[in-house]
Amino acid sequence: MGQAAQAPSGTRDLLADEVRRRKAAFDVLSQIFESFGFDPLETPAFENLDVITGKYGEEASKLIFKILKRGAHEASGQADLALRYDHTVPLARVIGSYGAKLPTPYKRYAIGPVWRADRPQEGRFREFVQCDIDTVGSQSALADAEIVLALAQSLDALGVHDFTFTVNSRKALYALLEVYGVDSDDGPSVLGTLDKLDKIGAAAVAKELTAARGLTPDVAESLVGDVAADNSDRVRQRLNTTEQGKAGLAEVDRLIELTTSAGLTSDRIAYVPRMVRGLDYYTGAIYEVVAAGYPGSIAAGGRYDHLVATLGGPDVPACGGSIGIERILAIQGSQDTERRGLDVALTVLGGEEDLMRLGAELRGQNLRVGMYFGSSTKLGKQLKWAHDQSARISVLYGPEERAEGEVTLRDMRSGDQTRVPFTEAASHVRKVLEAP
């Protein structure tokens, strides 16, 4: 196949069975989000560039897909639009635009594609679906806890059971930087480097903190040692020396307390100081979800109380979470799944008008029905077509059946055939399909 015939790097063509599998997963998530009182929201695939710029942090901003100006301005080489990077910034823009028209708090979910100019690799795409839930207009820790519980229930429903929420707080992280004398203006970039711990390791992070962020080697090594430690006691001791540190720890502990009281077991949620979340807009409790058998994080979220104000809207509190549905589906898709075929295949050996009526009656019973459109009048070739369509039942309606006012129903799994009156064909098909 030539290069021009392939999908662009970092994208995929999704054939029928994969589309159905994904839709089923999205339907499960929608039902769970609705059960928690979240309403759906759809936003455009692209936003004004100035809406997106500066909202995601230094590293993430490099991954924004920019759209060049068009028409008479095309030669300028400048961009004025950008493909949607996530669903959070568009939500903040909606809040700023619609304001009082929305309920308070406003609880919404969004399931749709986002785009990132990342380096394509296995399990990582430039176009992928995100599944988000957010609550805007509440400072209560109950709002954070509800989102964690909705994400946990969603993961269980998707068949992901061995997972853990790793929890931290941006307040706690900034307080830790304060303890180490890091200037507040340098905080976002330092946290962005600490967020690379799991990707490049402690030694490389300490080196970058020294070379690129201006920390002394002793401070960098000690800070990394605190954050990377398996036991959180060391960090807790430092944080308890400042009011902001105590407030951050209180956020973490309250989130864990609320979610475990609602049934999330203690082995599924824990305070982990090394969990940073590099996006600049987070302000409070943050979390990521790791699961056995799934690389990286498969869900994440946190509180972002001032993002709406940066887009010209009111300064309202907000929190939200997102499920990495693509990673989950990719792992599950490697397992054998049953192909979805036709419920009924209608062979065509004459009597087309009768078959059209029968097809309509079968579809009226919510069955998936296909009719042979080929040129062959040989039954063998038509049955091969039915087999290729993974049909459960084939309907044979040849001259003999028509003369007797009957049809032959062929079980495509066993090969058994049954002759029934034409007028009762639909009910007999239903009985066969419902049989264990």
Side-chain angles (χ1 to χ4, degrees):
M1 180 183 292
Q3 184 67 32
Q6 298 178 359
S9 177
T11 66
R12 299 154 295 165
D13 296 311
L14 301 170
L15 301 183
D17 291 322
E18 178 65 14
V19 171
R20 292 190 187 98
R21 191 169 68 89
R22 292 163 66 86
K23 182 180 182 301
F26 301 155
D27 288 345
V28 166
L29 294 178
S30 296
Q31 291 172 6
I32 292 174
F33 296 160
E34 293 270 1
S35 75
F36 278 85
F38 291 86
D39 291 322
L41 172 68
E42 294 184 3
T43 60
F46 52 86
E47 296 279 349
N48 290 314
L49 182 59
D50 58 359
V51 168
I52 291 180
T53 302
K55 307 303 188 301
Y56 297 106
E58 180 180 343
E59 294 298 322
S61 293
K62 299 175 183 177
L63 305 182
I64 294 174
F65 259 119
K66 298 177 181 178
I67 302 175
L68 297 181
K69 290 184 176 180
R70 300 143 303 284
H73 304 287
E74 183 177 357
S76 70
Q78 297 178 336
D80 60 344
L81 302 172
L83 291 177
R84 186 171 57 207
Y85 181 90
D86 69 359
H87 293 298
T88 305
V89 168
L91 168 63
R93 177 188 54 74
V94 167
I95 297 296
S97 298
Y98 294 90
K101 296 181 180 179
L102 300 173
T104 301
Y106 177 52
K107 297 168 59 175
R108 84 90 177 88
Y109 70 90
I111 299 176
V114 298
W115 294 265
R116 297 183 185 177
D118 209 345
R119 182 173 64 88
Q121 52 186 294
E122 185 176 0
R124 185 180 293 273
F125 304 99
R126 290 174 170 172
E127 179 186 53
F128 56 96
V129 170
Q130 274 193 341
C131 305
D132 284 21
I133 49 173
D134 295 82
T135 297
V136 179
S138 174
Q139 293 180 327
S140 173
L142 293 170
D144 300 83
E146 182 181 62
I147 288 176
V148 168
L149 292 171
L151 294 178
Q153 185 173 329
S154 298
L155 292 174
D156 272 326
L158 291 172
V160 182
H161 305 300
D162 190 7
F163 61 82
T164 302
F165 280 80
T166 58
V167 183
N168 205 339
S169 164
R170 293 293 275 199
K171 289 179 183 177
L173 287 165
Y174 277 111
L176 185 62
L177 298 185
E178 180 185 350
V179 170
Y180 275 99
V182 176
D183 189 273
S184 59
D185 291 338
D186 297 327
S189 61
V190 171
L191 291 181
T193 298
L194 289 173
D195 193 36
K196 301 178 182 180
L197 266 170
D198 291 331
K199 295 179 181 179
I200 64 177
V205 167
K207 182 177 180 180
E208 182 175 323
L209 288 174
T210 301
R213 308 306 178 195
L215 275 62
T216 66
D218 289 344
V219 168
E221 290 179 10
S222 183
L223 175 59
V224 171
D226 280 352
V227 174
D230 292 332
N231 193 309
S232 64
D233 291 345
R234 185 168 151 187
V235 170
R236 282 184 175 274
Q237 290 175 0
R238 297 194 192 279
L239 292 177
N240 278 319
T241 63
T242 72
E243 291 304 313
Q244 186 179 18
K246 292 177 181 178
L249 288 176
E251 282 185 334
V252 170
D253 294 339
R254 184 58 173 159
L255 180 59
I256 294 174
E257 180 183 40
L258 287 172
T259 53
T260 54
S261 70
L264 190 64
T265 55
S266 58
D267 61 328
R268 283 185 160 187
I269 187 166
Y271 171 44
V272 179
R274 69 185 297 132
M275 204 288 293
V276 174
R277 298 290 293 151
L279 299 179
D280 284 354
Y281 54 63
Y282 286 117
T283 58
I286 53 176
Y287 43 85
E288 289 184 349
V289 182
V290 294
Y294 295 85
S297 64
I298 59 170
R303 178 160 287 276
Y304 52 96
D305 282 345
H306 305 297
L307 180 60
V308 176
T310 68
L311 296 175
D315 191 5
V316 293
C319 59
S322 176
I323 290 180
I325 190 67
E326 298 287 5
R327 292 185 178 182
I328 295 173
L329 292 175
I331 295 296
Q332 295 178 343
S334 64
Q335 305 165 0
D336 290 335
T337 57
E338 184 177 355
R339 182 184 175 192
R340 169 74 194 278
L342 295 176
D343 294 313
V344 183
L346 301 176
T347 63
V348 179
L349 304 170
E352 288 87 348
E353 294 84 358
D354 292 338
L355 289 171
M356 291 293 284
R357 287 194 296 272
L358 178 58
E361 185 178 357
L362 291 167
R363 293 186 189 97
Q365 297 182 7
N366 295 319
L367 298 180
R368 191 161 186 260
V369 182
M371 180 178 289
Y372 179 73
F373 293 149
S375 59
S376 177
T377 58
K378 294 182 179 180
L379 179 60
K381 287 190 175 181
Q382 296 198 29
L383 289 177
K384 181 181 183 303
W385 159 80
H387 177 270
D388 293 341
Q389 296 293 317
S390 298
R392 179 70 176 82
I393 296 174
S394 288
V395 174
L396 284 57
Y397 190 51
E400 183 179 338
E401 284 89 357
R402 291 198 300 278
E404 299 293 332
E406 298 176 334
V407 297
T408 298
L409 305 181
R410 181 182 177 91
D411 188 319
M412 295 299 291
R413 294 177 181 175
S414 66
D416 296 338
Q417 296 188 167
T418 304
R419 185 81 69 91
V420 301
F422 185 93
T423 56
E424 300 176 11
S427 61
H428 277 273
V429 166
R430 171 61 67 184
K431 290 178 181 178
V432 172
L433 292 174
E434 292 177 348

